[in-house]
Amino acid sequence: MADMAEHDRGTVTERPSGTVTFLFTDVEGSTRLWAADKEAMSASLLVHDAILRGIIEGFGGYVFTTAGDSFAAAFGRASDAVRAASESQRALSNVERPGPVLKVRMGLHLGEAEERGGDYFGPVVNTAARVEAAGHGGQTLITEPVRIAAGVTDVTDLGMRTLRDVAEPLRLFQLGAETFAALRVVDPLMSNLPVRPTRLIGRDVELGRVRGLLAESRLVTLTAVGGSGKTRLAIAVGEAELPHHRGGVWFVDLTAVSNGAEVPAAIANGLGLSLTSGDQTRQILVFLADKQALVILDNCEHLIEETAAFVDAFLASNNPAKILATSREAFDIDGERVVVLGSLATDTADSPGVRLFVDRATAVHPEFTLTASNTSTVSAICGRLDGMPLAIELAAARVTVMNPDELLAGLDDRFQLLSGGRRRSRQRTLEATLDWSYNLLEPEEQRVFRALGVFVDGFDLDAVAAVTGLDRRTATGHVETLQAKSLVVRADKRKATRFRLLETVKSYAEDRLVDTGEAETIRDRHLAHFHALALTDGRRVVGSLDVGLRLRHDCPNITSAFEWAGDHDKWIIAGELLTASWSAYYLDVRFTEHRTALARSTGHVAELDPDLHGCITVQRFASSMHLTDYAFAATVADELTRSRLNKFRAIGWAFTAWRSAFGSPQNVDGLLAKSGDELSQQTESETRLSDAHAFAEIWALWAQSNAALLRGDFERARDLSYELGRRAQFADASIGTVTAAISEVLLGQPTAALATVAQLDGFDLPFVDGTEVRALAHLTLGDTDTAISFIRRLAARAATGLFSRESGDAMLLLAALAHHHGDDDDARQFLLEAGGGRQPGTIAYGRHLARLLGIADEYRTQPGDSRDAMGIVSSLHALRTELT
């Protein structure tokens, strides 16, 4: 942090204008403090006001609003604003007050000021106020523009956050490294919106129109030719609408779907919904039936009939959710409102098309500026490109090697053959621009660009090297060049560096790949690359967790490679790829997609390779369990017990024992004895799968730990779960950690439980993160505030319905909290509504709590599924505790 020396302070001269840094402050908990002691609060506030006004004005700030205990000030320099905030927090924390200690939250944002009548207005001011409201007393938040402008380094990066009533997510930073509670921001569990790679320019009118139509209609379709910015606008609409949809905003990218029958599964995956057997569309509609959600269906044109069928069923269901679709053509169904996305205006220096060109040009060439001498040329370039956003971006990316006059001349040459004295269609304009941009590439760059068309939903640099046959360093250089020319965009996921082609550009690259006759070679290399990665640890019953972590972002590529292999009758390779990638689909919560592919391959592999067929059957069981399709899972387990191979019969009996632990734990030992008998009969010729024996034994351990836990033998359950964790080499072993930790809670060892559940932090599994264990452990420790924060987290997540049966666990936690506060009537009600819970640990804890509440028999007779998940949030308010 810069020095706060007195001589560095600015002086108040006049109200700042132009680019202004705004500082908003507010006293935390002031209403409660006023109610507690009005006179003491008034005395403290006088000291507070004097400190803030003196420091703000001492650093050149202009106080333009004071309301109650809040200040709003404007600064001409970001560094002065940051210094003022930092000095104010320091002074407030050290001053002696005649009344209560006041904790002040502060927020800073920077942008163009809108002035009227001696006051400031507009989105920048609103954003600054929302930044302040997201923080806590004693905390100062700044946005990235403020951090950059002020040159601040002593900050904590809090990541991209969505603020209420702020259209776009912002990266927020905290001054200093002190730890505070979670920010008051829009819950990220309520949206899966991708981050737009660049800002939206020139679509304010369309943004407002779409939002207006969504307010009165359940289906709005954005139509335009490729390259018009439909997806970018749809995401911007989703960001703006997020605070107004309690059911969340969900983005469904249909570009990776090639089979129309898979549209419902793709939509469910975008929603995070796990489907079971039966009518998939109906399950989605039931899921949305009570949710004020917005679902964005992106790139529908290649599946227009199948998507229209889903949308028609959606409209007939009359639920409160809404759909925003993007497509090159409308669905043409009753109830649809259509917005046709036109070209950007290009006629003036301030027109959207010219602003877009300048924005993208300066991104690759910071020295580029719009001047009096080149404005007309830039306007002409954008006009030649019919105001097409993607075409303008491609042209702007060339300013590093061409000046505007050269760009215009090159475009004129390219388009002469297209004009024919008549206005070109915008689609032909984009195709011509892509041709022009492609022809300017070096031959090797063209080859790499074509090869990138094989990827689905992104790629990493190793994959580029594999499909092009280049070393990684050379491949990286080509990708960087293509990115600089706007043909490739960065699309990082979590901490993984990823890239992708926009859908229109991808289609163009695929066409060139076919034209050159390279498509089959590149598809084979694509298959070979992912097959090799998946089998890094050799063929296994279930792919290892390490492989899953490596491939978790490439499930669409794996599915595409699987389909290519199957279409070319390479079923052994296809099956190996699919089974070895199990953990990737698991980590990315794509159980339906994986199970569908497994079903397609099982018949082809059965006679060719019994080992591989056994792996497929095992994974069909696992997927069905995660999809809560218990009836089908039982059928698959029974099929395994009748396998031709002993090792799979052993696994089948272990699966059966595992399921029996939940309802008939007394049968577990007998079933496991059958599993052991099968293992003892395994011959040397059956050992191709080196982990089959260990896999059966792991499930046997898991079954034993569940049975012990549900019998109330918590010490044995804990010890068996520890052993399970030591021996398991697949992702589901994380469940054993939860079982061990719950056992420790039930044994009265909450500190040990917290240490055990901390092992889950490395898995990065949103549906197995130990939230329920942490809540129960902190309740046992008497740390109610921390317990409540975890209960809130699970309740909010369960209310989305995204993860199967979490509603039961959330209700159980509410019951535990009510019991902790002595509200046993509420506790009984919540527990009976919780159903059976979703996993062994919470089922066992529920039975334990039921005994304490005197409803053990009644609890055991409850159905396995809890009430509708969306009722959980309202139940929070039913608790007469500090939850509110």
Side-chain angles (χ1 to χ4, degrees):
M1 181 66 64
D3 179 43
M4 297 292 177
E6 196 73 28
H7 66 269
D8 271 349
R9 296 187 179 187
T11 57
V12 179
T13 53
E14 58 184 16
R15 185 172 65 253
S17 60
T19 300
V20 174
T21 300
F22 292 98
L23 166 64
F24 277 72
T25 77
D26 192 31
V27 174
E28 184 174 63
S30 59
T31 301
R32 175 177 52 81
L33 294 173
W34 278 111
D37 191 331
K38 185 176 181 180
E39 291 186 3
M41 177 60 175
S42 180
S44 282
L45 202 58
L46 287 174
V47 175
H48 160 275
D49 290 354
I51 289 174
L52 282 185
R53 184 175 292 276
I55 293 176
I56 288 171
E57 293 182 349
F59 279 100
Y62 174 81
V63 177
F64 61 92
T65 298
T66 58
D69 44 34
S70 301
F71 272 69
F75 293 79
R77 296 193 307 179
S79 57
D80 290 336
V82 171
R83 291 175 177 181
S86 182
E87 180 68 10
S88 295
Q89 291 285 25
R90 187 196 64 77
L92 288 168
S93 65
N94 293 331
V95 71
E96 292 187 7
R97 300 176 180 83
V101 173
L102 303 184
K103 294 186 176 181
V104 180
R105 57 176 179 259
M106 301 183 183
L108 295 92
H109 184 50
L110 165 127
E112 286 288 324
E114 297 180 30
E115 302 174 62
R116 187 167 66 248
D119 204 350
Y120 294 98
F121 297 89
V124 176
V125 177
N126 175 64
T127 299
R130 292 302 186 185
V131 171
E132 170 264 302
H136 300 274
Q139 186 176 35
T140 300
L141 301 177
I142 65 175
T143 60
E144 189 161 31
V146 174
R147 181 188 66 83
I148 293 171
V152 186
T153 57
D154 182 17
V155 294
T156 300
D157 187 348
L158 302 177
M160 296 295 294
R161 300 304 180 104
T162 300
L163 304 178
R164 297 209 175 274
D165 299 322
V166 176
E168 299 185 359
L170 296 171
R171 184 172 293 282
L172 296 182
F173 297 84
Q174 172 193 299
L175 293 186
E178 186 177 350
T179 300
F180 292 90
L183 295 180
R184 299 182 176 98
V185 294
V186 176
D187 192 341
L189 290 167
M190 298 304 290
S191 172
N192 67 340
L193 284 171
V195 176
R196 286 179 283 126
T198 53
R199 65 194 183 102
L200 188 69
I201 294 177
R203 294 298 191 189
D204 293 343
V205 173
E206 292 88 343
L207 179 65
R209 175 164 169 71
V210 172
R211 294 188 67 192
L213 289 174
L214 282 171
E216 59 190 46
S217 306
R218 294 179 57 224
L219 170 63
V220 178
T221 305
L222 269 173
T223 67
V225 299
S228 299
K230 300 184 296 296
T231 299
R232 195 166 296 178
L233 177 57
I235 294 172
V237 171
E239 292 167 348
E241 286 292 309
L242 183 54
H244 310 292
H245 289 273
R246 291 189 295 108
V249 176
W250 307 104
F251 184 84
V252 180
D253 186 358
L254 294 175
T255 55
V257 181
S258 57
N259 185 342
E262 297 175 2
V263 166
I267 294 172
N269 188 60
L271 294 169
L273 172 64
S274 295
L275 296 174
T276 61
S277 299
D279 187 333
Q280 295 182 337
T281 294
R282 183 178 179 279
Q283 292 176 61
I284 296 170
L285 298 182
V286 169
F287 172 72
L288 293 172
D290 59 354
K291 295 177 177 61
Q292 292 180 335
L294 173 62
V295 181
I296 300 174
L297 303 180
D298 192 43
N299 289 299
C300 301
E301 56 275 349
H302 66 299
L303 302 163
I304 194 70
E305 292 184 6
E306 294 84 358
T307 312
F310 172 83
V311 171
D312 209 14
F314 166 80
L315 292 176
S317 69
N318 198 34
N319 65 49
K322 300 191 176 186
I323 287 179
L324 172 61
T326 75
S327 177
R328 297 185 188 182
E329 59 178 301
F331 295 119
D332 193 25
I333 57 180
D334 292 341
E336 179 182 26
R337 302 296 296 273
V338 179
V339 175
V340 180
L341 202 57
S343 301
L344 297 176
T346 63
D347 52 339
T348 67
D350 194 43
S351 61
V354 173
R355 286 193 286 118
L356 177 62
F357 183 97
V358 174
D359 182 81
R360 303 302 187 258
T362 53
V364 297
H365 186 41
E367 290 76 25
F368 178 85
T369 57
L370 194 67
T371 65
S373 61
N374 68 16
T375 296
S376 61
T377 305
V378 171
S379 178
I381 290 170
C382 298
R384 293 284 195 283
L385 299 172
D386 292 335
M388 290 283 292
L390 178 56
I392 291 172
E393 291 188 35
L394 291 172
R398 287 290 176 176
V399 298
T400 56
V401 292
M402 297 182 189
N403 63 39
D405 289 328
E406 292 168 330
L407 280 172
L408 183 58
L411 289 171
D412 277 342
D413 290 342
R414 181 66 203 171
F415 290 168
Q416 272 183 349
L417 295 175
L418 291 176
S419 59
R422 294 179 299 170
R423 180 72 171 169
R424 300 178 305 275
S425 73
R426 290 197 295 147
Q427 187 59 50
R428 292 179 70 198
T429 294
L430 181 58
E431 291 171 359
T433 308
L434 284 166
D435 279 339
W436 171 79
S437 189
Y438 174 75
N439 289 332
L440 288 172
L441 297 175
E442 296 296 329
E444 188 69 355
E445 293 170 352
Q446 291 180 344
R447 187 177 75 84
V448 172
F449 171 69
R450 293 192 300 268
L452 298 183
V454 75
F455 293 110
V456 182
D457 196 33
F459 49 86
D460 60 23
L461 296 170
D462 288 331
V464 177
V467 301
T468 58
L470 299 171
D471 62 83
R472 193 178 190 277
R473 181 176 180 181
T474 303
T476 300
H478 287 311
V479 170
E480 290 174 346
T481 298
L482 294 170
Q483 183 185 7
K485 295 171 181 174
S486 292
L487 291 167
V488 170
V489 296
R490 187 82 173 255
D492 293 353
K493 291 187 177 181
R494 293 186 174 93
K495 297 179 181 179
T497 300
R498 305 275 297 178
F499 302 87
R500 68 187 296 263
L501 304 183
L502 297 177
E503 184 58 23
T504 303
V505 179
K506 172 178 162 56
S507 296
Y508 181 87
E510 286 181 291
D511 289 344
R512 300 293 76 75
L513 198 61
V514 172
D515 291 344
T516 58
E518 300 166 303
E520 186 165 344
T521 298
I522 297 300
R523 290 301 302 264
D524 283 342
R525 288 180 179 175
H526 178 267
L527 170 61
H529 171 67
F530 287 106
H531 180 261
L533 281 180
L535 269 71
T536 299
D537 297 331
R539 186 188 279 193
R540 302 166 60 91
V541 175
V542 172
S544 71
L545 181 59
D546 287 341
V547 169
L549 291 169
R550 173 68 179 80
L551 290 175
R552 69 183 303 177
H553 305 308
D554 276 309
C555 290
N557 278 310
I558 295 168
T559 300
S560 176
F562 165 80
E563 291 173 349
W564 172 259
D567 290 344
H568 290 75
D569 208 26
K570 301 176 181 179
W571 283 108
I572 300 302
I573 292 176
E576 286 181 336
L577 169 67
L578 196 63
T579 54
S581 302
W582 153 254
S583 291
Y585 287 89
Y586 176 92
L587 290 166
D588 210 34
V589 200
R590 290 176 176 263
F591 304 125
T592 300
E593 181 180 345
H594 193 251
R595 188 170 73 163
T596 299
L598 289 169
R600 182 184 171 195
S601 61
T602 184
H604 296 282
V605 171
E607 296 302 322
L608 294 172
D609 191 327
D611 259 353
L612 185 56
H613 181 257
C615 293
I616 291 172
T617 309
V618 166
Q619 293 187 17
R620 292 178 76 193
F621 171 86
S623 292
S624 298
M625 289 300 298
H626 285 296
L627 293 170
T628 65
D629 191 349
Y630 302 129
F632 185 75
T635 300
V636 175
D638 184 61
E639 179 184 337
L640 282 167
T641 64
R642 292 180 280 105
S643 170
R644 286 184 292 169
L645 301 179
N646 296 100
K647 58 192 170 190
F648 290 116
R649 292 200 295 272
I651 291 172
W653 287 117
F655 281 166
T656 305
W658 186 88
R659 295 185 67 255
S660 180
F662 294 90
S664 305
Q666 69 276 7
N667 296 333
V668 168
D669 289 342
L671 293 169
L672 290 180
K674 293 183 178 182
S675 178
D677 288 343
E678 296 291 352
L679 287 178
S680 66
Q681 297 174 37
Q682 183 172 314
T683 64
E684 288 297 320
S685 62
E686 290 186 300
T687 59
R688 182 180 175 191
L689 283 169
S690 60
D691 67 328
H693 192 113
F695 186 85
E697 291 184 335
I698 285 167
W699 277 81
L701 268 175
W702 202 348
Q704 290 175 306
S705 70
N706 290 347
L709 183 65
L710 295 168
R711 286 196 307 265
D713 189 349
F714 304 135
E715 288 190 7
R716 178 165 171 75
R718 176 199 59 197
D719 294 344
L720 288 169
S721 296
Y722 281 156
E723 179 64 17
L724 174 63
R726 283 191 290 269
R727 295 175 58 180
Q729 297 296 319
F730 57 98
D732 271 358
S734 57
I735 305 276
T737 303
V738 174
T739 303
I742 287 278
S743 301
E744 288 168 333
V745 171
L746 290 167
L747 287 167
Q749 300 167 355
T751 303
L754 289 173
T756 298
V757 83
Q759 299 172 34
L760 293 175
D761 296 341
F763 283 92
D764 192 21
L765 296 175
F767 49 95
V768 188
D769 62 358
T771 296
E772 66 277 31
V773 179
R774 300 173 210 261
L776 293 172
H778 282 289
L779 270 183
T780 305
L781 288 167
D783 184 358
T784 307
D785 289 341
T786 303
I788 287 173
S789 70
F790 285 113
I791 294 173
R792 283 185 178 279
R793 179 189 299 179
L794 189 66
R797 191 166 76 195
T800 68
L802 298 183
F803 301 111
S804 175
R805 296 171 67 95
E806 278 197 326
S807 56
D809 285 1
M811 295 301 297
L812 183 145
L813 293 183
L814 292 176
L817 178 63
H819 176 62
H820 178 78
H821 285 288
D823 296 333
D824 281 356
D825 288 341
D826 281 346
R828 294 185 186 96
Q829 178 184 346
F830 290 141
L831 188 58
L832 292 176
E833 289 175 349
R838 74 181 178 100
Q839 39 107 343
T842 47
I843 292 173
Y845 193 92
R847 292 179 182 179
H848 164 75
L849 184 57
R851 287 194 294 271
L852 294 178
L853 295 170
I855 56 171
D857 292 338
E858 188 177 358
Y859 179 70
R860 284 179 180 272
T861 63
Q862 291 300 300
D865 293 323
S866 73
R867 67 176 187 173
D868 195 322
M870 285 301 290
I872 293 171
V873 172
S874 61
S875 293
L876 285 167
H877 301 293
L879 287 173
R880 295 182 298 274
T881 69
E882 62 266 41
L883 266 176
T884 55

